[in-house]
Amino acid sequence: MENAGEEPAPLLPVQELAAGRHGAGDDGGVPSRYVARRAHDGSEETPTAAVPVIDLGRLCQPAADGESASEAAKLRAALQSWGLFLVANHGIEVSLMDAVTEASREFFRQPLVEKQRYTNMVGGNFQLEGYGNDRVATEEQVLDWSDRHYLKVEPQDERNLALWPPCLRDVLHEFTTKCTTLKDCLLPEMAKLLELDGNYFSNQFSGKAETYARFNYYPPCPRPELVFGLKPHTDASFITLVMVDSNIGGLQVLRDGEWYNVPNKPDTLLINLGDQMEIMSNGIFKSPVHRVVPDAEKERLSVVMFYSLDPEREIQPAGKLIDENHPALYKKVKIKEYIAGLFEYFAQGKLVIETAKI
Ligand SMILES: O=C(O)CCC(=O)C(=O)O
Ligand SMILES: [Fe+2]
């Protein structure tokens, strides 16, 4: 991304702030630039979302039977309501999941100077890939209580290996391969739920489709009720796979104006739909608004795989879903422009999907 030369000074990683290595903040350890909301007293308990666990083995078995039909019904209900679900029996070994989480922890535990070898601020310019924080466009922008490392993992020949820390290399390559297989199993099931050709969604993914891995690190926050680990947003992806730390909550999803905790279950993965799927399904499937709230005591890690279409492609609602009674609800959008819009809107705390609605 280019830079107009007016970028405010680079930020300290939140991990450094949280460790108190740079003096106390304005609000009990939280500098005012991170204060996103008014404190609440915590008296209203956040309800838990009734997100189903889908058994992938059952869902995708070749001979459709009662078991696969009941998994498909659960999946349909989840995609039309929450826009997210947990997946079990997904074919990714727990040992690999643990190795990826451990490698990520090892990366963030390194001294700052080591991590800064992968910085996303190069010569004062913000780059999408690398270690750091989101682009800061203005002094007013409310900052998130998290650091991240962000890498393009597919197409494989577009990997910038200089940004791949040695501790992550092998496990990330293997994890990417397994996650892509998982995505490839899910897409036909989703197409069938919409009575589209089984390959309809898979066929959208050309060799130029892009996958990004994002390693999120949320340090403990002395005043978690004042900040967001990540502000409310939808993912601009087609579909997102999230491996959350099963020891700690913090991810929340919005439904009908109310926030719900997304449940954790050991060894499962969370799948959430992104805006590209919401657009192509003409809004039948939802790209959920979600956010992350940090913990007062514990650090939290997540590893997220964003599957997105070729940036040069234009997408619109599938023709088969549109008729007199079901008009298109979204405009044609170019992936590249849409994603650029996401970063701009996210910084302002707004939702880019609104720009695609008719
Ligand atoms: O950390 C999480 O659980 C979710 C992260 C997320 O929503 C994102 O990186 O877009
Ligand atoms: Fe997200």
Side-chain angles (χ1 to χ4, degrees):
M1 260 184 210
E2 94 285 15
N3 170 290
E6 295 149 11
E7 204 93 29
L11 296 167
L12 265 181
V14 181
Q15 193 175 357
E16 296 291 305
L17 271 180
R21 286 198 269 271
H22 301 271
D26 316 345
D27 204 332
V30 177
S32 58
R33 293 189 70 191
Y34 294 84
V35 175
R37 50 191 186 147
R38 272 204 295 264
H40 53 81
D41 61 11
S43 56
E44 323 111 52
E45 278 281 297
T46 305
T48 298
V51 169
V53 182
I54 304 289
D55 182 313
L56 194 74
R58 279 194 199 176
L59 178 74
C60 299
Q61 58 198 353
D65 63 0
E67 275 192 347
S68 60
S70 82
E71 291 304 305
K74 277 201 283 183
L75 180 62
R76 176 198 303 278
L79 298 183
Q80 294 184 352
S81 55
W82 300 107
L84 47 81
F85 60 94
L86 298 170
V87 63
N89 195 10
H90 44 59
I92 305 183
E93 299 85 355
V94 173
S95 56
L96 176 60
M97 291 168 61
D98 290 347
V100 175
T101 305
E102 259 328 294
S104 177
R105 208 182 294 281
E106 189 184 329
F107 172 74
F108 285 105
R109 275 203 186 133
Q110 294 177 103
L112 180 58
V113 55
E114 283 298 315
K115 288 176 285 197
Q116 274 176 333
R117 293 167 53 185
Y118 309 99
T119 180
N120 62 6
M121 295 297 292
V122 178
N125 290 332
F126 175 86
Q127 318 283 323
L128 202 52
E129 283 190 83
Y131 164 73
N133 302 96
D134 280 325
R135 182 177 189 182
V136 181
T138 66
E139 296 287 344
E140 288 74 49
Q141 185 176 327
V142 178
L143 305 177
D144 288 333
W145 194 264
S146 61
D147 302 324
R148 52 97 187 231
H149 191 43
Y150 195 57
L151 295 170
K152 188 193 274 197
V153 295
E154 285 175 333
Q156 286 200 23
D157 60 1
E158 292 180 24
R159 288 178 181 177
N160 182 354
L161 290 175
L163 291 177
W164 289 47
C167 63
L168 279 172
R169 265 186 205 194
D170 293 348
V171 283
L172 180 56
H173 172 71
E174 200 182 339
F175 189 63
T176 302
T177 310
K178 296 276 166 78
C179 286
T180 300
T181 304
L182 169 51
K183 175 221 58 161
D184 290 341
C185 287
L186 282 170
L187 291 183
E189 303 306 321
M190 295 186 184
K192 285 187 244 163
L193 291 176
L194 296 170
E195 290 172 21
L196 296 170
D197 180 76
N199 291 325
Y200 188 81
F201 291 136
S202 316
N203 285 346
Q204 310 297 323
F205 283 80
S206 67
K208 292 269 176 210
E210 293 186 340
T211 310
Y212 282 87
R214 178 167 165 145
F215 299 85
N216 289 313
Y217 181 79
Y218 307 88
C221 179
R223 300 290 308 276
E225 71 285 7
L226 297 180
V227 306
F228 289 127
L230 274 186
K231 288 188 267 303
H233 66 283
T234 58
D235 293 349
S237 61
F238 196 95
I239 188 168
T240 306
L241 270 67
V242 192
M243 186 168 64
V244 293
D245 200 326
S246 57
N247 299 313
I248 183 164
L251 177 62
Q252 299 184 334
V253 61
L254 186 67
R255 183 169 167 190
D256 299 331
E258 198 176 343
W259 288 101
Y260 292 81
N261 287 323
V262 175
N264 274 341
K265 243 185 175 271
D267 309 339
T268 61
L269 286 160
L270 177 77
I271 312 289
N272 78 259
L273 299 185
D275 296 349
Q276 295 169 33
M277 176 64 111
E278 176 167 322
I279 292 169
M280 295 203 81
S281 72
N282 201 32
I284 299 175
F285 292 162
K286 305 289 177 227
S287 167
V289 178
H290 54 286
R291 68 184 189 186
V292 177
V293 178
D295 191 78
E297 323 252 300
K298 292 196 218 159
E299 64 181 17
R300 179 178 184 277
L301 289 143
S302 64
V303 181
V304 187
M305 303 291 280
F306 297 100
Y307 285 91
S308 185
L309 301 181
D310 174 353
E312 297 300 331
R313 265 186 68 93
E314 288 187 322
I315 57 161
Q316 58 190 331
K320 261 187 97 174
L321 302 176
I322 307 301
D323 62 28
E324 259 169 45
N325 300 321
H326 304 93
L329 299 176
Y330 301 84
K331 295 181 237 175
K332 193 187 262 190
V333 299
K334 188 165 189 168
I335 300 291
K336 180 161 87 177
E337 285 157 17
Y338 190 79
I339 291 177
L342 170 94
F343 289 107
E344 191 185 318
Y345 274 68
F346 181 74
Q348 297 169 25
K350 294 194 218 152
L351 296 178
V352 66
I353 186 83
E354 298 303 327
T355 63
K357 288 185 180 160
I358 290 177

